[in-house]
Amino acid sequence: MNKLVSSSGVLAASVFLTLACSTGATAQTDPLPDLTVTTVLDGLAKPWDAVVAPDGTVLTGERSGRFVIRDVDGATRELDADLDDLYASGETGLMGIALATDFGTSRTIYTCQGVQGESGAGTGSAGTGSAGGGGSDNHIAVLSWTVDTAWTALTRTGTLIDDIPVADGGRHGGCRILAHPDGTLYVGTGDTATPTVPQDRNSLGGKVLHVNADGSPAADSPDRIFTLGHRNVQGLAIRPGTGQIYEVEQGTTRDDELNLLEPGGNYGYRPDRLPVIYDESVPMTDPTRVPGALAAVWSSGSPTIATPGLTFANGAGWGSWNGAAVVSSQQGEKLVFLKLSEDGTEYVDEADALVGTYGRLRSLTSFGNDGAFLLTTDNGSDDKVLLVTPAAG
């Protein structure tokens, strides 16, 4: 049973009501700590991602096209931004957000978002862009912006990637950005529900991309493709203290996956078994049809729980779960904690938290130095950005 308690939490000099709740996990030999959950922003509609700036400002973006902040004084407001060419349809719209590693000086923010093409203008336009030869040139792009020091407006400064395919209706659009400490960007993409895309090196769909801050290919990804053979990559994170990069992607009717990424690795999704048909009955990892396919570190099994977000528990407050992967779930309406082996190639324990407490859960972002992370909900109305912290003692 979850329990309501009277307490308060402080975030960026603002005081919010706090919900301290039990983990909701089944009995574990090694239980999770209780969680303190604080509402940072509410009244939102499908906030796809959330980040926190060095000054404590929390920024989120709604998939339909709106940037919202909570500033250091606790005030909530919308930021001005030119989103006139946003392609928002189905699963695609304003998606991943990341702060540049030098944000403190550059004030640079990156977004991954649908963009209307000249022949496909308008939300929900027909065609599959470069995914499958349709009549629209709608696509997904990674853009750079700067924000003023007063946090009033975002100004576009460039386009790093402009040829990620998008499907008619926006299905499987990805799209997560990981700003690496070395200044490069990793970008997870979706396969547009097109049979050949995950294994097609001429398409950026169904991949994890690796680019420099100007959009040029990173040294280990001459064609910008770091890994391939993915279905719909929506979570990327670095395992603390290791440099290992992991992704989570959503399964078909089964087997959402957590994968440890290796440069050039193929993760074995190949839904082209039948001519022209997007065959989702194939395995998420198919070593028979994709020789050398890399196995997942963890799979959800059947049925799918829909896993769009990933971070790591990072701090002494997590006890023996310090360093565990944390995966969000939409259909399962929970967080999944996965304790990993020392080498990170397998999981050794699993626990669930916040089961059914906040509905569908989406993005996860590390926050501060006390082990906390930001979590967004994905219910479609009165959605929230939450701060999750391991409860003290």
Side-chain angles (χ1 to χ4, degrees), residues 43 49 52 60 68 73 83 86 107 113 126 146 154 158 211 214 230 258 290 313 326 329 356 358 367 381:
D49 209 347
V52 58
T60 190
V68 181
D73 297 318
L83 290 169
L86 181 70
R107 308 291 296 179
Q113 60 194 75
T146 56
L154 284 166
V211 298
D214 62 359
H230 301 289
L258 173 71
V290 184
V326 188
S329 166
Y358 295 98
F367 182 97
S381 62

Side-chain angles (χ1 to χ4, degrees), residues 40-66:
V40 179
L41 284 160
D42 57 15
L44 302 169
K46 292 189 174 295
W48 209 98
D49 209 347
V51 295
V52 58
D55 66 1
T57 299
V58 174
L59 168 69
T60 190
E62 294 177 329
R63 192 170 66 191
S64 61
R66 188 167 76 112

Side-chain angles (χ1 to χ4, degrees), residues 63-342:
R63 192 170 66 191
S64 61
R66 188 167 76 112
F67 291 102
V68 181
I69 66 162
R70 182 150 193 145
D71 68 20
V72 294
D73 297 318
T76 299
R77 62 180 179 274
E78 183 175 349
L79 296 183
D80 289 334
D82 179 7
L83 290 169
D84 287 347
D85 61 352
L86 181 70
Y87 176 76
S89 180
E91 300 170 14
T92 296
L94 176 57
M95 298 177 287
I97 302 173
L99 302 181
T101 53
D102 65 350
F103 176 83
T105 55
S106 70
R107 308 291 296 179
T108 296
I109 294 170
Y110 302 108
T111 62
C112 194
Q113 60 194 75
V115 177
Q116 296 172 15
E118 292 183 3
S119 63
T123 299
S125 299
T128 55
S130 58
S136 167
D137 54 0
N138 296 332
H139 58 281
I140 292 171
V142 176
L143 306 179
S144 62
W145 310 71
T146 56
V147 64
D148 61 296
T149 56
W151 286 97
T152 62
L154 284 166
T155 302
R156 286 199 198 188
T157 56
T159 301
L160 280 66
I161 304 173
D162 65 359
D163 52 348
I164 301 171
V166 65
D168 178 23
R171 190 180 181 205
H172 292 188
C175 178
R176 182 74 58 191
I177 305 172
L178 171 63
H180 195 276
D182 67 7
T184 64
L185 300 176
Y186 292 82
V187 181
T189 70
D191 70 355
T192 73
T194 301
T196 58
V197 162
Q199 297 295 327
D200 182 0
R201 290 187 175 274
N202 293 314
S203 172
L204 298 187
K207 312 294 190 299
V208 175
L209 313 178
H210 189 199
V211 298
N212 298 312
D214 62 359
S216 62
D220 58 5
S221 305
D223 54 3
R224 296 178 291 173
I225 295 173
F226 186 67
T227 60
L228 71 160
H230 301 289
R231 183 173 180 268
N232 196 21
V233 180
Q234 294 190 349
L236 286 168
I238 300 172
R239 185 185 182 195
T242 69
Q244 293 173 316
I245 300 174
Y246 290 77
E247 63 90 25
V248 290
E249 61 188 277
Q250 302 199 6
T252 53
T253 58
R254 66 189 191 280
D255 293 335
D256 308 288
E257 291 185 345
L258 173 71
N259 288 302
L260 171 59
L261 298 183
E262 298 182 10
N266 192 324
Y267 291 80
Y269 186 54
R270 187 179 172 184
D272 63 347
R273 184 165 53 186
L274 302 173
V276 190
I277 302 298
Y278 185 63
D279 181 8
E280 294 185 274
S281 69
V282 302
M284 280 291 290
T285 302
D286 188 347
T288 300
R289 298 179 61 244
V290 184
L294 299 174
V297 173
W298 167 88
S299 295
S300 64
S302 182
T304 181
I305 61 172
T307 51
L310 174 66
T311 192
F312 283 86
N314 186 25
W318 292 105
S320 64
W321 289 88
N322 187 19
V326 188
V327 177
S328 59
S329 166
Q330 293 165 302
Q331 289 177 202
E333 299 186 350
K334 62 183 179 180
L335 296 178
V336 180
F337 286 72
L338 299 166
K339 190 182 297 185
L340 303 180
S341 61
E342 186 174 352

